[in-house]
Amino acid sequence: AAWAWTASALALAVVAACLPGATTLVVGPAARAPARGGTIAMMGGKGFGAPAKKAKASKKAAAARSAGATQPYYTGSQRKLELSPRRPVPADAVCPDYAETGVPGYQRPMLPWDIEVKTPEQIAGMREACRIAREVLDVAGKAVRPGVSTDEIDAIVHEESLKRGAYPSPLNYQSFPKSVCTSVNEVICHGIPDATILKEGDIVNVDVTCYVGGYHGDLSETFAVGEVDAEAKRLVKVTYDSWQAAIAICKPGVPYKQIGAAIEEVVAPSGFTIVRGFVGHGIGSAFHMPPNVVHHRNDDRNGEMAPGHTFTIEPMINEGAPSYKEWPDKWTIVTSDGKRSAQFEHTLLITEDGVEVLTPRTVNSQPMWWNE
């Protein structure tokens, strides 16, 4: 689905993009821009049947890996496997506008620095959506272990969201078929839950977004599946540290472009690389809205932080090259060299004197190994 841009809006955006220092023009959907050469915004992530039996899934996984060995979009260990049917939502559930059509009705403003300032009532709604999203991710994180399928994680996220009166935002967002994104090993983002079985030594990012009371709350974490190797631990820790460094600089008056510089200062010395094709995003009553939050050093004109802004920071850090490929499903993004990728995400609120994390970890969150 494409955004409906008027000729005048597109012309103004092109002019804005051509101003000195502007390097990015985003004219497509927040989650799936058609141009891969520039910066595109990522989905925060983006039906009902019993999970596939593990023995059967394992045979299918082996067959898929063998059959897909020559496919250019399969760069590592992951393969596209069978999807379960779409999971149902109760008729009385409060759903976003795209729940039936797959097409979000939100129209982006003409200029990238035109950022919504939330009212106290809107901020209260955001806090509730983010609180519930955190609860759901914490439940899903506890389910991550060897032998569990990504489809089982999707079932947990779906049911735990509904149980709390929330709609799982990824479901049918621009036709995304599941309720959560599960990105394993070389999958950078937008992994679609299927019959894939997690195994010892994998890493998996679980990206949860919940729609509650008219607002979206978005967060993700990368989990270790059992015991992982030292380099996987280093990748996850560097990703986490770069993300925290970016959050630490947030306050009123700070240009959004400085987020990328803060991340790059941590990542560059590690030898890892930053994925440049996807960005964080504003969030509220719409899943994706201004600002675009670029995760590498840049001079993009995406405005300055101000009290009442809500947005995500969600860097994707690769073990190897920063380049990537897209699977034919038009969602799954993988590293071009098959090496691993990690990611963390929070929804943030700019306050009068700093920043508030709306999706903070709690006593129920899975402990990070460096804090154990």
Side-chain angles (χ1 to χ4, degrees):
W3 291 93
W5 278 63
T6 64
S8 60
L10 182 57
L12 280 171
V14 171
V15 170
C18 293
L19 291 172
T23 60
T24 300
L25 171 62
V26 180
V27 298
R32 299 170 62 191
R36 290 300 185 190
T39 299
I40 59 177
M42 72 163 293
M43 195 185 103
K46 181 174 191 116
F48 203 153
K53 293 182 179 179
K54 292 182 177 60
K56 189 174 183 181
S58 295
K59 290 179 181 178
K60 287 185 176 180
R65 287 187 177 91
S66 176
T70 60
Q71 298 293 345
Y73 45 83
Y74 288 151
T75 63
S77 62
Q78 300 305 297
R79 299 291 183 268
K80 180 177 175 61
L81 300 182
E82 181 180 355
L83 297 183
S84 62
R86 176 173 166 174
R87 294 187 160 84
V89 175
D92 61 351
V94 177
C95 302
D97 59 1
Y98 55 80
E100 290 299 323
T101 66
V103 181
Y106 174 74
Q107 298 293 310
R108 293 179 72 89
M110 293 183 289
L111 299 174
W113 51 81
D114 186 0
I115 302 166
E116 180 181 70
V117 175
K118 303 291 191 300
T119 66
E121 293 75 20
Q122 289 174 312
I123 290 171
M126 288 291 297
R127 283 200 177 98
E128 179 65 5
C130 288
R131 180 187 67 79
I132 288 175
R134 164 52 71 181
E135 288 183 3
V136 173
L137 178 63
D138 286 347
V139 175
K142 288 180 171 62
V144 172
R145 60 184 179 276
V148 170
S149 72
T150 54
D151 187 67
E152 289 176 276
I153 294 173
D154 181 74
I156 290 169
V157 168
H158 188 86
E159 294 305 318
E160 293 295 330
S161 297
L162 296 179
K163 185 189 299 184
R164 291 165 172 80
Y167 178 92
S169 301
L171 185 61
N172 208 36
Y173 181 82
Q174 297 191 28
S175 301
F176 189 80
K178 292 295 181 177
S179 297
V180 67
C181 294
T182 52
S183 300
V184 183
N185 293 341
E186 77 271 16
V187 180
I188 296 171
C189 61
H190 303 169
I192 300 175
D194 59 15
T196 296
I197 303 296
L198 298 176
K199 65 181 187 302
E200 186 87 12
D202 285 343
I203 60 172
V204 56
N205 178 268
V206 180
D207 193 338
V208 169
T209 311
C210 290
Y211 180 79
V212 185
Y215 299 95
H216 299 271
D218 191 3
L219 76 163
S220 83
E221 293 186 1
T222 297
F223 298 94
V225 182
E227 184 60 33
V228 301
D229 62 58
E231 193 66 358
K233 288 184 176 181
R234 190 171 77 89
L235 173 65
V236 173
K237 183 63 162 61
V238 167
T239 304
Y240 180 90
D241 288 347
S242 70
W243 174 60
Q244 290 294 305
I247 293 170
I249 70 163
C250 293
K251 62 182 180 180
V254 173
Y256 279 100
K257 66 183 181 181
Q258 289 190 14
I259 289 173
I263 291 169
E264 194 158 332
E265 285 180 8
V266 175
V267 175
S270 72
F272 298 137
T273 61
I274 303 168
V275 178
R276 292 173 172 254
F278 299 86
V279 299
H281 52 88
I283 187 168
S285 57
F287 199 162
H288 301 91
M289 55 202 308
N292 286 330
V293 180
V294 180
H295 298 123
H296 57 86
R297 199 178 300 277
N298 69 94
D299 201 29
D300 287 12
R301 294 175 177 268
N302 286 317
E304 293 183 352
M305 302 175 197
H309 287 185
T310 54
F311 58 94
T312 70
I313 298 179
E314 46 188 296
M316 288 144 276
I317 310 302
N318 288 356
E319 187 177 23
S323 53
Y324 56 87
K325 295 184 177 183
E326 182 182 73
W327 282 7
D329 62 21
K330 301 301 182 184
W331 282 109
T332 308
I333 305 297
V334 296
T335 60
S336 61
D337 55 13
K339 294 185 177 181
R340 295 168 292 194
S341 186
Q343 180 188 20
F344 287 90
E345 176 183 16
H346 270 321
T347 296
L348 306 167
L349 164 70
I350 298 299
T351 62
E352 292 294 334
D353 57 359
V355 63
E356 177 185 344
V357 176
L358 296 180
T359 49
R361 293 174 61 80
T362 72
V363 294
N364 296 317
S365 302
Q366 286 286 85
M368 298 296 185
W369 64 80
W370 54 86
N371 292 327
E372 291 178 341

